[in-house]
Protein backbone atom coordinates (compact mmCIF):
# COMPACT_ATOMS: atom_id res chain seq x y z
CA UNK A 1 0.00 0.00 0.00
CA UNK A 2 1.35 3.41 -0.99
CA UNK A 3 0.22 6.19 1.37
CA UNK A 4 0.84 9.34 -0.61
CA UNK A 5 -0.23 11.70 2.17
CA UNK A 6 2.33 10.12 4.48
CA UNK A 7 5.00 10.40 1.77
CA UNK A 8 4.27 14.08 1.20
CA UNK A 9 4.37 14.93 4.89
CA UNK A 10 7.48 12.88 5.64
CA UNK A 11 9.49 14.17 2.69
CA UNK A 12 8.69 17.87 2.92
CA UNK A 13 12.16 18.57 4.31
CA UNK A 14 13.75 16.77 1.34
CA UNK A 15 11.88 18.61 -1.39
CA UNK A 16 13.17 21.57 -3.35
CA UNK A 17 11.37 24.91 -2.87
CA UNK A 18 9.28 24.25 -5.99
CA UNK A 19 8.36 20.76 -4.79
CA UNK A 20 7.46 22.11 -1.36
CA UNK A 21 4.96 24.51 -2.95
CA UNK A 22 3.37 21.65 -4.88
CA UNK A 23 3.27 19.39 -1.82
CA UNK A 24 1.74 22.09 0.38
CA UNK A 25 -0.88 22.87 -2.27
CA UNK A 26 -1.87 19.21 -2.38
CA UNK A 27 -1.89 18.77 1.39
CA UNK A 28 -4.04 21.87 1.84
CA UNK A 29 -6.92 20.02 0.14
CA UNK A 30 -6.16 16.47 -0.96
CA UNK A 31 -9.67 15.87 -2.29
CA UNK A 32 -9.57 18.95 -4.48
CA UNK A 33 -6.02 18.24 -5.64
CA UNK A 34 -7.16 14.85 -6.91
CA UNK A 35 -9.58 16.67 -9.21
CA UNK A 36 -7.19 19.30 -10.51
CA UNK A 37 -5.78 19.03 -13.99
CA UNK A 38 -2.07 19.64 -14.49
CA UNK A 39 -2.61 23.28 -15.46
CA UNK A 40 -4.86 24.10 -12.51
CA UNK A 41 -2.57 22.41 -9.97
CA UNK A 42 0.40 24.24 -11.48
CA UNK A 43 -1.40 27.58 -11.24
CA UNK A 44 -2.42 27.03 -7.64
CA UNK A 45 1.10 25.99 -6.66
CA UNK A 46 2.57 28.81 -8.78
CA UNK A 47 4.84 26.45 -10.67
CA UNK A 48 5.08 25.23 -14.27
CA UNK A 49 3.14 22.30 -15.69
CA UNK A 50 6.45 20.56 -16.29
CA UNK A 51 7.25 20.88 -12.58
CA UNK A 52 4.06 18.98 -11.77
CA UNK A 53 5.07 16.14 -14.08
CA UNK A 54 8.54 15.99 -12.55
CA UNK A 55 7.03 16.01 -9.05
CA UNK A 56 4.79 13.05 -9.91
CA UNK A 57 7.86 11.06 -10.97
CA UNK A 58 9.69 12.12 -7.79
CA UNK A 59 6.91 10.43 -5.82
CA UNK A 60 7.25 7.26 -7.86
CA UNK A 61 4.28 7.86 -10.14
CA UNK A 62 4.64 7.19 -13.85
CA UNK A 63 2.59 10.25 -14.77
CA UNK A 64 0.27 12.88 -13.33
CA UNK A 65 -2.77 10.65 -13.87
CA UNK A 66 -1.30 8.13 -11.44
CA UNK A 67 -0.60 10.93 -8.97
CA UNK A 68 -4.24 12.03 -9.16
CA UNK A 69 -5.43 8.45 -8.75
CA UNK A 70 -3.33 8.05 -5.60
CA UNK A 71 -4.65 11.33 -4.24
CA UNK A 72 -8.23 10.25 -4.95
CA UNK A 73 -7.59 7.02 -3.05
CA UNK A 74 -6.07 8.92 -0.13
CA UNK A 75 -8.95 11.41 0.01
CA UNK A 76 -11.51 8.58 0.31
CA UNK A 77 -10.89 8.44 4.07
CA UNK A 78 -12.70 11.79 4.35
CA UNK A 79 -11.66 15.27 5.34
CA UNK A 80 -12.08 14.62 9.06
CA UNK A 81 -9.04 12.32 8.89
CA UNK A 82 -7.02 14.64 6.67
CA UNK A 83 -7.50 17.95 8.41
CA UNK A 84 -6.49 18.61 12.01
CA UNK A 85 -9.44 19.66 14.16
CA UNK A 86 -9.50 22.00 17.11
CA UNK A 87 -10.53 20.20 20.27
CA UNK A 88 -13.39 21.71 22.30
CA UNK A 89 -12.82 22.60 25.96
CA UNK A 90 -12.60 19.49 28.14
CA UNK A 91 -15.80 20.29 30.03
CA UNK A 92 -17.71 20.70 26.77
CA UNK A 93 -16.15 17.52 25.38
CA UNK A 94 -17.34 15.44 28.34
CA UNK A 95 -20.87 16.74 27.89
CA UNK A 96 -20.73 16.11 24.13
CA UNK A 97 -19.65 12.51 24.64
CA UNK A 98 -22.61 11.94 26.96
CA UNK A 99 -25.03 13.69 24.58
CA UNK A 100 -23.82 11.62 21.61
CA UNK A 101 -24.28 8.38 23.56
CA UNK A 102 -27.82 9.32 24.59
CA UNK A 103 -28.72 10.39 21.06
CA UNK A 104 -27.34 7.14 19.63
CA UNK A 105 -29.30 5.05 22.12
CA UNK A 106 -32.58 6.87 21.47
CA UNK A 107 -32.18 6.68 17.69
CA UNK A 108 -31.21 3.02 17.64
CA UNK A 109 -33.88 1.93 20.08
CA UNK A 110 -36.47 3.26 17.64
CA UNK A 111 -34.98 1.08 14.89
CA UNK A 112 -35.38 -2.19 16.79
CA UNK A 113 -38.51 -4.14 15.86
CA UNK A 114 -39.97 -6.17 18.73
CA UNK A 115 -41.18 -8.93 16.41
CA UNK A 116 -37.74 -9.45 14.85
CA UNK A 117 -36.02 -9.43 18.24
CA UNK A 118 -38.46 -12.06 19.50
CA UNK A 119 -37.99 -14.23 16.41
CA UNK A 120 -34.23 -14.14 16.79
CA UNK A 121 -34.51 -14.90 20.51
CA UNK A 122 -36.68 -17.92 19.65
CA UNK A 123 -34.07 -19.09 17.14
CA UNK A 124 -31.36 -18.74 19.78
CA UNK A 125 -33.31 -20.88 22.24
CA UNK A 126 -33.95 -23.57 19.62
CA UNK A 127 -30.47 -23.72 18.09
CA UNK A 128 -28.27 -26.77 18.54
CA UNK A 129 -25.17 -24.57 18.48
CA UNK A 130 -24.73 -20.80 18.42
CA UNK A 131 -21.59 -19.18 17.03
CA UNK A 132 -20.94 -15.46 17.28
CA UNK A 133 -18.74 -14.02 14.52
CA UNK A 134 -17.14 -10.62 14.96
CA UNK A 135 -13.76 -9.28 13.91
CA UNK A 136 -11.98 -5.99 14.52
CA UNK A 137 -11.82 -3.88 17.65
CA UNK A 138 -15.49 -3.23 18.43
CA UNK A 139 -17.03 -6.41 17.04
CA UNK A 140 -14.43 -8.65 18.66
CA UNK A 141 -15.23 -7.22 22.08
CA UNK A 142 -18.98 -7.44 21.55
CA UNK A 143 -18.88 -11.00 20.21
CA UNK A 144 -17.37 -11.94 23.57
CA UNK A 145 -19.97 -9.81 25.33
CA UNK A 146 -22.81 -11.59 23.54
CA UNK A 147 -21.31 -14.93 24.51
CA UNK A 148 -21.10 -13.71 28.11
CA UNK A 149 -24.73 -12.58 28.09
CA UNK A 150 -26.18 -15.81 26.65
CA UNK A 151 -23.82 -18.34 28.24
CA UNK A 152 -25.39 -17.70 31.65
CA UNK A 153 -28.70 -19.10 30.37
CA UNK A 154 -27.09 -22.46 29.67
CA UNK A 155 -27.01 -21.89 25.90
CA UNK A 156 -24.32 -23.59 23.74
CA UNK A 157 -22.68 -20.41 22.48
CA UNK A 158 -19.13 -19.70 21.33
CA UNK A 159 -17.60 -16.42 20.15
CA UNK A 160 -15.01 -16.40 17.38
CA UNK A 161 -12.91 -13.52 16.05
CA UNK A 162 -10.31 -15.39 14.01
CA UNK A 163 -10.94 -15.16 10.26
CA UNK A 164 -9.70 -18.68 9.49
CA UNK A 165 -11.45 -20.32 12.44
CA UNK A 166 -14.70 -18.56 11.50
CA UNK A 167 -14.54 -20.20 8.06
CA UNK A 168 -13.69 -23.58 9.57
CA UNK A 169 -16.56 -23.28 12.04
CA UNK A 170 -19.00 -22.16 9.35
CA UNK A 171 -18.13 -25.20 7.24
CA UNK A 172 -19.31 -27.68 9.91
CA UNK A 173 -22.63 -26.00 10.70
CA UNK A 174 -26.04 -27.18 9.58
CA UNK A 175 -29.75 -26.27 9.58
CA UNK A 176 -30.02 -26.68 13.35
CA UNK A 177 -27.24 -24.16 14.00
CA UNK A 178 -27.28 -20.40 14.30
CA UNK A 179 -24.68 -17.75 13.48
CA UNK A 180 -24.88 -14.36 15.17
CA UNK A 181 -22.79 -11.97 13.08
CA UNK A 182 -21.69 -8.61 14.46
CA UNK A 183 -20.29 -5.78 12.37
CA UNK A 184 -20.66 -2.05 12.83
CA UNK A 185 -19.82 -1.42 9.18
CA UNK A 186 -21.56 -4.43 7.68
CA UNK A 187 -18.86 -4.81 5.04
CA UNK A 188 -16.08 -6.73 6.81
CA UNK A 189 -15.02 -9.33 4.20
CA UNK A 190 -14.00 -12.02 6.70
CA UNK A 191 -17.36 -12.00 8.46
CA UNK A 192 -19.33 -11.93 5.21
CA UNK A 193 -17.31 -14.83 3.80
CA UNK A 194 -17.88 -16.94 6.92
CA UNK A 195 -21.61 -16.17 6.88
CA UNK A 196 -21.84 -17.19 3.23
CA UNK A 197 -20.20 -20.53 4.02
CA UNK A 198 -22.56 -21.11 6.95
CA UNK A 199 -25.59 -20.35 4.78
CA UNK A 200 -24.35 -22.81 2.16
CA UNK A 201 -24.84 -25.59 4.70
CA UNK A 202 -28.22 -24.38 5.90
CA UNK A 203 -27.30 -22.48 9.06
CA UNK A 204 -29.48 -19.53 9.94
CA UNK A 205 -28.01 -16.08 10.48
CA UNK A 206 -28.91 -13.24 12.81
CA UNK A 207 -26.99 -10.00 12.34
CA UNK A 208 -26.42 -6.83 14.29
CA UNK A 209 -25.20 -4.36 11.70
CA UNK A 210 -26.20 -1.48 9.43
CA UNK A 211 -29.25 -1.98 7.24
CA UNK A 212 -28.64 -2.21 3.50
CA UNK A 213 -25.14 -3.67 3.86
CA UNK A 214 -23.72 -6.91 2.48
CA UNK A 215 -24.00 -8.56 5.89
CA UNK A 216 -27.57 -7.36 6.42
CA UNK A 217 -28.60 -8.82 3.06
CA UNK A 218 -27.23 -12.22 4.08
CA UNK A 219 -29.08 -12.40 7.40
CA UNK A 220 -32.38 -14.07 8.26
CA UNK A 221 -32.93 -11.69 11.15
CA UNK A 222 -31.51 -8.18 11.29
CA UNK A 223 -31.18 -5.95 14.32
CA UNK A 224 -30.18 -2.73 12.57
CA UNK A 225 -27.81 -0.16 14.02
CA UNK A 226 -27.19 3.35 12.75
CA UNK A 227 -23.83 5.10 12.70
CA UNK A 228 -23.79 8.84 13.27
CA UNK A 229 -20.15 9.88 13.40
CA UNK A 230 -18.99 13.40 14.18
CA UNK A 231 -16.03 15.22 12.63
CA UNK A 232 -14.11 15.00 15.92
CA UNK A 233 -12.15 11.81 15.24
CA UNK A 234 -10.52 11.56 18.66
CA UNK A 235 -13.79 10.70 20.41
CA UNK A 236 -14.66 6.98 20.44
CA UNK A 237 -17.57 6.06 18.21
CA UNK A 238 -21.01 6.23 19.82
CA UNK A 239 -22.01 3.35 17.53
CA UNK A 240 -20.53 1.03 20.17
CA UNK A 241 -23.50 1.85 22.37
CA UNK A 242 -25.90 0.99 19.55
CA UNK A 243 -24.32 -2.46 19.38
CA UNK A 244 -24.51 -2.84 23.15
CA UNK A 245 -28.17 -1.78 23.16
CA UNK A 246 -29.06 -4.42 20.56
CA UNK A 247 -27.18 -7.08 22.53
CA UNK A 248 -28.89 -6.15 25.80
CA UNK A 249 -32.35 -6.15 24.22
CA UNK A 250 -31.71 -9.50 22.54
CA UNK A 251 -30.22 -11.10 25.66
CA UNK A 252 -33.08 -9.94 27.87
CA UNK A 253 -35.70 -11.17 25.42
CA UNK A 254 -33.91 -14.52 25.21
CA UNK A 255 -33.79 -14.78 28.99
CA UNK A 256 -37.52 -14.18 29.29
CA UNK A 257 -38.25 -17.01 26.84
CA UNK A 258 -37.38 -19.41 29.64
CA UNK A 259 -37.73 -17.11 32.62
CA UNK A 260 -38.14 -19.76 35.33
CA UNK A 261 -35.21 -21.92 34.19
CA UNK A 262 -32.99 -18.91 33.53
CA UNK A 263 -33.78 -17.41 36.92
CA UNK A 264 -32.41 -20.61 38.43
CA UNK A 265 -29.30 -20.35 36.25
CA UNK A 266 -28.67 -16.82 37.47
CA UNK A 267 -29.20 -17.86 41.10
CA UNK A 268 -26.58 -20.56 40.76
CA UNK A 269 -24.10 -18.15 39.19
CA UNK A 270 -24.65 -15.60 41.96
CA UNK A 271 -24.19 -18.28 44.60
CA UNK A 272 -20.97 -19.49 42.98
CA UNK A 273 -19.59 -15.95 42.75
CA UNK A 274 -20.57 -15.07 46.32
CA UNK A 275 -18.77 -18.14 47.64
CA UNK A 276 -15.73 -17.16 45.59
CA UNK A 277 -15.52 -13.43 46.23
CA UNK A 278 -18.28 -12.40 48.64
CA UNK A 279 -19.71 -8.93 48.25
CA UNK A 280 -22.94 -7.02 48.12
CA UNK A 281 -26.08 -8.81 46.83
CA UNK A 282 -26.42 -6.04 44.21
CA UNK A 283 -23.07 -6.76 42.57
CA UNK A 284 -23.43 -7.72 38.90
CA UNK A 285 -23.00 -11.30 37.72
CA UNK A 286 -19.42 -11.23 36.56
CA UNK A 287 -16.89 -8.46 36.98
Amino acid sequence: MFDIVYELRQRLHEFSPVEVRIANTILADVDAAAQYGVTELAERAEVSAAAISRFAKTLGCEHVRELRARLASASAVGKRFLEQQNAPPVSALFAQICDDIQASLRHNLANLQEEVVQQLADAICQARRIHVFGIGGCSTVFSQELQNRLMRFGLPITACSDAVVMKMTAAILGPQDLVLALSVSGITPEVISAVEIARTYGARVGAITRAGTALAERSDWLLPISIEETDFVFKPSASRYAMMLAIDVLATTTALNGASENHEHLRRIKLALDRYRGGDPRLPLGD
Side-chain angles (χ1 to χ4, degrees):
M1 183 184 73
F2 184 86
D3 186 344
I4 194 166
V5 172
Y6 174 83
E7 287 291 319
L8 290 171
R9 289 172 174 169
Q10 288 298 112
R11 296 176 61 184
L12 270 177
H13 68 285
E14 303 174 4
F15 292 150
S16 68
V18 169
E19 291 171 336
V20 168
R21 288 205 298 275
I22 299 172
N24 284 332
T25 300
I26 292 173
L27 290 172
D29 193 336
V30 176
D31 186 40
Q35 310 302 318
Y36 294 153
V38 175
T39 302
E40 185 174 3
L41 180 56
E43 290 175 351
R44 290 178 178 273
E46 298 180 348
V47 300
S48 67
I52 301 296
S53 296
R54 290 193 296 270
F55 185 68
K57 293 183 182 301
T58 297
L59 292 175
C61 301
E62 291 188 14
H63 37 61
V64 176
R65 289 194 306 277
E66 183 180 344
L67 172 63
R68 292 175 60 192
R70 292 186 182 279
L71 291 174
S73 177
S75 68
V77 301
K79 285 190 174 183
R80 67 195 187 109
F81 289 101
L82 292 170
E83 299 176 357
Q84 185 69 48
Q85 301 128 8
N86 294 322
V90 172
S91 58
L93 177 60
F94 290 174
Q96 185 61 52
I97 290 173
C98 185
D99 289 345
D100 288 348
I101 292 170
Q102 292 176 340
S104 178
L105 289 173
R106 286 193 297 269
H107 180 73
N108 280 278
L109 181 60
N111 288 338
L112 293 175
Q113 299 179 27
E114 182 178 345
E115 180 181 1
V116 177
V117 174
Q118 184 62 63
Q119 289 174 357
L120 182 51
D122 291 341
I124 288 171
C125 294
Q126 296 165 12
R128 176 180 61 180
R129 290 176 296 187
I130 307 160
H131 291 276
V132 190
F133 293 166
I135 200 167
C138 180
S139 296
T140 293
V141 171
F142 283 124
S143 65
Q144 296 170 347
E145 172 65 13
L146 187 50
Q147 174 185 278
N148 182 42
R149 291 293 131 208
L150 298 184
M151 164 276 296
R152 60 191 65 200
F153 306 136
L155 294 168
I157 183 168
T158 304
C160 180
S161 298
D162 181 285
V164 174
V165 176
M166 283 194 298
K167 289 182 174 63
M168 293 169 62
T169 300
I172 62 170
L173 300 183
Q176 294 176 288
D177 302 317
L178 176 69
V179 170
L180 297 175
L182 311 184
S183 175
V184 173
S185 69
I187 60 175
T188 305
E190 294 86 351
V191 175
I192 293 170
S193 176
V195 163
E196 288 176 338
I197 294 170
R199 288 178 61 86
T200 297
Y201 295 105
R204 308 299 297 277
V205 178
I208 303 178
T209 189
R210 292 187 302 153
T213 61
L215 179 56
E217 292 170 357
R218 289 162 174 77
S219 65
D220 299 291
W221 300 278
L222 171 65
L223 304 188
I225 59 174
S226 297
I227 303 174
E228 298 178 1
E229 296 299 297
T230 68
D231 289 336
F232 188 58
V233 299
F234 299 105
K235 183 182 72 63
S237 171
S239 63
R240 296 175 300 132
Y241 295 92
M243 182 77 78
M244 177 66 81
L245 173 65
I247 288 173
D248 282 1
V249 168
L250 179 60
T252 304
T253 305
T254 301
L256 291 173
N257 272 16
S260 179
E261 183 179 4
N262 288 328
H263 191 273
E264 171 62 11
H265 287 148
L266 297 177
R267 184 196 66 80
R268 293 185 194 180
I269 293 173
K270 186 64 168 66
L271 178 63
L273 291 177
D274 284 353
R275 287 175 174 172
Y276 163 69
R277 70 182 181 190
D280 190 283
R282 290 289 182 179
L283 285 177
L285 297 184
D287 213 308

